[in-house]
Amino acid sequence: MSLITRCQRETLVYWAPVSSNMAGELEWDAPVEMTCRWDDKVQEIRTDDGTYVIAKSEVISESKLQVGGMVYRGALADLVYPDTPRDNENVFRILKVMETPNLRYTERLYEAWA
C-alpha cells in the first residue's frame, strides 16, 4: 500500500463536468464516491485564467478531478439530491487542479482546491 493510499481516510462525492446546456449552465455526470484526504484550510490560489480566488478546502486523491467539477465531503448516501449537486449543502466547485508524480513515476498525487 502506497503512502498516497494510506493518507486517504475520508470519503467524497464527485460530479465531473460534462458540458454546458443551452443557457450556458454546466451539466454534470453521475456522482461518484471515492476516498480522499480533505483538508479544511482557507488559501488564496491563482486559477488557470490568472485570477486570484479564495479556496476553502484542499482535496488529495488518487483520481484526477477536473476544474468545474463539484465535490462534497461525505458519502453518497448522505446527499438529499444526488443528481443535482448545487441543490445540496456544502458542495463546492473545484477551482484548480495539480498533479504530482512520486519519485519513481509509478503513482500520481492529485490535488484540487475547492
Side-chain angles (χ1 to χ4, degrees):
M1 180 183 289
S2 74
L3 179 63
I4 295 170
T5 305
R6 284 193 305 255
C7 81
Q8 298 178 8
R9 303 274 185 213
E10 297 184 73
T11 304
L12 70 80
V13 178
Y14 170 63
W15 293 266
V18 177
S19 63
S20 297
N21 62 16
M22 297 293 280
E25 299 169 341
L26 274 176
E27 294 181 347
W28 294 276
D29 204 355
V32 177
E33 191 174 290
M34 60 180 68
T35 59
C36 74
R37 176 182 171 135
W38 187 294
D39 293 323
D40 287 327
K41 61 179 174 181
V42 176
Q43 183 176 353
E44 183 180 56
I45 59 167
R46 185 175 178 186
T47 60
D48 294 337
D49 65 358
T51 58
Y52 287 92
V53 294
I54 301 294
K56 295 181 179 180
S57 304
E58 180 182 7
V59 177
I60 299 172
S61 74
E62 289 182 88
S63 302
K64 188 170 185 175
L65 306 175
Q66 297 176 354
V67 173
M70 304 291 278
V71 289
Y72 169 75
R73 183 183 198 172
L76 193 54
D78 300 337
L79 293 168
V80 178
Y81 307 103
D83 295 326
T84 52
R86 290 193 187 261
D87 293 342
N88 296 287
E89 289 185 35
N90 299 320
V91 174
F92 302 103
R93 183 176 173 270
I94 296 173
L95 303 168
K96 183 177 176 111
V97 176
M98 256 180 45
E99 79 180 68
T100 306
N102 66 1
L103 294 174
R104 290 180 271 153
Y105 285 85
T106 56
E107 293 181 301
R108 295 195 178 276
L109 171 77
Y110 297 101
E111 295 175 89
W113 289 269

